[in-house]
């Protein structure tokens, strides 16, 4: 596998409350040849939510966005594949729910979005955003270790999928 890229995928709180939807999305992730480098569930706090969405501060939807992101736990996935950012955003579909339902009804947001705010999932929009966002959500993620020691195992497919934990684990041998 060439040019493995990382992206941050978040399952937003309303989706985490729907186990069937969550499983459907997990299946789509696997079917789209992503590797799951990290996987976890966590409640965001106000400070991190503000940092995460700082580019949207002052917009009309900012308060309702924060309220919805703080309404329950998120599922957090660090996904890897070539062009991970573009492919994950393609799987998600358009940001706005009516556009998603109309233009791309089988996309994640087309299928599971409830409103422009509760639009099921998040995906980074550039490599710089992915790094910034992973640092906020998973402060222990070690980018040096990933680049130096871990990435090569994923590139050479020396990983095993653990479906219970929804993660690919490195086959150190
Ligand atoms: O998430 P994405 O990158 O597709 O869209 P964004 O423009 O970066 O907006 C971030 C989030 O703000 C969206 O995912 C929505 O949850 C929310 N939003 C909203 O509530 N109302 C809008 N009109 C636009 C975005
Ligand atoms: Mg965005």
């Amino acid at each position: 596998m060439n040019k493995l890229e990382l992206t941050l995928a978040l399952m937003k709180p309303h989706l985490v409350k729907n186990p069937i939807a969550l499983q459907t999305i997990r299946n789509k992730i696997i079917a789209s040849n992503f590797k799951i480098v990290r996987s976890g569930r966590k409640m965001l706090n106000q400070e991190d939510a503000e940092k995460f969405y700082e580019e949207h501060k002052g917009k009309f939807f900012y308060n309702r966005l924060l309220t919805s992101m703080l309404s329950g736990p998120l599922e957090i996935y660090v996904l890897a594949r070539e062009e991970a950012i573009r492919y994950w955003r393609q799987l998600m579909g358009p940001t706005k729910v009516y556009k998603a339902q109309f233009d791309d009804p089988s996309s994640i947001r087309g299928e599971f979005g409830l409103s422009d705010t509760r639009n099921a999932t998040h995906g980074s929009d550039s490599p710089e955003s992915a790094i910034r966002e992973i640092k906020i959500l998973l402060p222990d993620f070690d980018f040096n270790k990933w680049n130096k020691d871990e990435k090569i195992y994923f590139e050479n497919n020396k990983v095993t999928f653990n479906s219970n934990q929804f993660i690919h684990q490195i086959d150190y041998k």
Side-chain angles (χ1 to χ4, degrees), residues 111-148:
E111 212 172 332
F112 300 113
L114 301 179
S115 66
D116 287 349
T117 301
R118 290 175 299 158
N119 58 354
T121 50
H122 167 85
S124 310
D125 62 10
S126 68
E128 299 71 38
S129 309
I131 293 170
R132 188 187 79 86
E133 294 172 357
I134 291 168
K135 283 183 174 165
I136 296 171
L137 269 294
L138 299 171
D140 293 338
F141 187 86
D142 186 337
F143 283 93
N144 282 335
K145 187 159 187 270
W146 163 255
N147 283 312
K148 237 169 60 190

Side-chain angles (χ1 to χ4, degrees), residues 83-94:
E83 293 193 69
I85 290 168
R86 186 168 74 76
Y87 279 108
W88 172 241
R89 288 194 68 95
Q90 186 176 309
L91 263 194
M92 294 202 299

Side-chain angles (χ1 to χ4, degrees), residues 92-109:
M92 294 202 299
T95 304
K96 293 195 173 187
V97 68
Y98 284 116
K99 186 169 166 50
Q101 286 167 351
F102 191 79
D103 288 348
D104 196 356
S106 63
S107 65
I108 289 170
R109 285 166 162 177

Side-chain angles (χ1 to χ4, degrees), residues 37-67:
V37 172
R38 294 287 187 282
S39 185
R41 191 176 278 214
K42 136 173 184 186
M43 188 83 196
L44 210 53
N45 62 44
Q46 177 83 29
E47 197 188 329
D48 287 344
E50 285 178 13
K51 235 190 271 169
F52 191 81
Y53 280 125
E54 67 189 5
E55 68 173 300
H56 296 303
K57 194 165 183 188
K59 292 187 185 163
F60 72 93
F61 57 81
Y62 180 71
N63 285 336
R64 71 180 197 210
L65 174 60
L66 256 57
T67 304

